[in-house]
Amino acid sequence: MSKKFFTAKNIIVIIFVAVLVLMSILRIYMEHYMGYYLLLVSPVDDDMQVRNAHSILNGNYMGLYNEETIPKHPMFPLFLAALNLLHIPYYIGISLLICGSALLFVIAIKPICENVFVRGIFYLFLIYNPVGFAYEFATRIYRNSLIPWAVLFVIASMVGFYLRKDKGPKKMVFWSICLGITVSFFWYLREDSIWMFPFMLVGTFAILIYWVSYFFKTYKKGERSKAFRDKLGLIIKCLILAIVPFCLLGMTRLFVSGMNKLNYNIFVTEDRVEASIGNVMSYLYRIDDGHNWQSERGANEPDIIVSSDAIKMAQKESPALASLDNYLDCYYRLSGGEELWADWPEWALRDAAVEKGYYRDALETEVYFAIVADELKTAFDEGRLKSKEGVFLSSQTGPFVADDFAEALNITGVTINHMLHFDFCDVNMPKISDYDYNKMKNWESLLGMTFPRDEQQLMTDATVEGTDIVEDSADNEKLYEKFSDGNALALRNLLVYRALYIVYIILLAGGFVFATVYIIVRRGKGDRAVFDSWLLELGVLLTAFVNIFAVSLFSKALTPDPNVNVFCFYASSCYVLFAVALILGICSMIRIITPLVKKKASS
C-alpha cells in the first residue's frame, strides 16, 4: 500500500470511522437488551402480525382467510418473515434498519456537507435518537417500531435524488431506484401513508422544474445539431428517472393486491378500507342520528361516530344489514353496554359477520358488504337517511367542522412541544402481556430472541415443561440483568438529549431562519447549496406538520387530551423528521459561515 495513504489525515479518518463502527455495535447491543413490550394477545395488532409472519414462513401467505387475516398492510409480517429466513434476529434486523437509514441519509447530504467528521456526528445523532428506545413506540413487536426509520429511508432517498439533480442520469439512477424501494416499504407498513406523498411529489416536481429550465437555458433557437439531441435525450432520461419511484410503488401495489387475489380471490391490498366493508362504514359514519354526542359526553371522553341509534336506522333501510341481527349485541359486548367510540363499530360489525358465517370466504364476504353498501347509498340518495354536517376527509371517519380543525391545531402545537422535549420516549423494563408459554415460544422462535420472565411466568414454564425452576430462575436472572443494563444505557441516552433541549431548539429554529435571511439578502446570487438545503428543510418541516396535524385530527376521536401518548405514538416519525430538519439547518449554517471565516482568515 502506498505510503501516501498513511497520512495523518487518513489515519484520523480511519480512527473516526472505527469509532463510528464501535458506536453502531453499541447501538445494536442496546437494541438487544432493552425493555421489550410484548402483547401476546392482540388479535388485530401485534399478535396478528406475528401470526401472519408464521403463515408466510409455512408457505401459506397470510394464513386461512378470516376477519383477522388482511385488515392491515403486509409489510411488517414480510419483514419479520424475511429476517427469520435469513437467520437474522429481530434486534439485529431493526438495528440494521436504523443504522442503514441514518447511513443513507449522511451519504445523501454529501453534496451540501462534504466533511466526513460532521456527517459522522450527524449519523450518531440519528441512530441514538430517543424515539428508537421509547417504551410502547419502539419496543413493541409491531409495525410502528419501524415507521420512523422507514420514513428516514424515504427522506434520505429523496434528499439524495434532489441534491444530484445536476449530476446527470448516471449519478441519479441509484437514488431514483432507492426512492422507489424505500417508499414502497414505508407505504405498505400502515394504511395512512398518504401524508408522505406531498413531500415526494413536490420534491419530484422541483427536480422537473430544474431540468426543464436547464433545457431552455441551454437551448438555442433553430439548433438541430447533435448537441441539441444530446440535451433532449438527457432531459428524457431524467424524466424517466423521476417516474421510476412512482412506478415501483404502483408495482408493489399490484403485487400485494395480486397476492390477495391469488390467495383470497379479492384484488385489494387490505380488506378494511379498500374492501366493501370500508364503503359500508363510510355510510354508517355519515348517518345523522339526531344526537350531538360532543355536547352530551364529557370533555375528555372519546367520540361517538357510529351510535347504536345510527345502526338501528341503517338496519331499517338495509335488509342485508338487518340480517346481522346480532350486530348490536356485538356492539354492546365490545363497549360493555355503552355507546361504542371511534372506529370500534367496524370491529363489532366484523364480529357480527363472523357469527353469521361470513369471513370464511373473502369473495362471499365482499359481495355481501357490497350489497349492504348499495342499499345504504340508495337510502341516502332517496333522503331516507340524512348525512351529518361537516367535511368528510376520509371514508373511515365522521365529518369535521371548524371547531375540529381548531382543536386539532391546538393538539398539534402541544404534540410538537412534547416531541421537541422527547416526551413519551421513556424506557422501561421488559413486559410480557397475557403470558402463554406456547405462544411465547412461537414469538421467540420467530424473532430469534429470548426474553426474561417474571417469577409467575417461570412457574408456569416449569409446570408446562417439568424443568428445574431453580436452574431456570438463575438463567433468567442473568438475562434480566443484561436487559437492566441495556435499559440503563437507553435512559442515560434519553437524559443527554433532554439536557440539550435548548440547544436543539436554537439550532432547529436558528438554522432555518439564518438560511432564510441569507437567501433573501443574496437574492439568488448566493451559494446554491444553501438554497437546496433550505428548501429540503422547509419540505421536511412541512411534512412533519402535516403528519402531526393529520394524526391530531383523526386520533382525537380516541381522546381529545393532547397530553397522552397516542398522538406522539401515531406520529412518531416526526421525532426523526425534526432531527433531519435540524441537520439540514446546520448544513446551511456551515455553508454560509465557512466562506466568511476563510475570507477573514486570509485578510
Side-chain angles (χ1 to χ4, degrees), residues 405-426:
F405 293 101
E407 185 180 14
L409 192 61
N410 175 65
I411 294 173
T412 298
V414 176
T415 302
I416 290 173
N417 184 55
H418 282 311
M419 288 183 170
L420 296 178
H421 280 88
F422 295 102
D423 292 334
F424 306 116
C425 289
D426 296 289

Side-chain angles (χ1 to χ4, degrees), residues 3 61 77 81 103 132 178 231 238 255 325 359 376 409 416 474 571 580 583 590:
K3 291 182 179 180
Y61 189 51
L103 179 62
C178 197
K231 291 173 187 175
C238 291
F255 172 77
D325 53 11
Y359 282 105
L376 292 176
L409 192 61
I416 290 173
V580 166
I583 290 171
I590 291 174

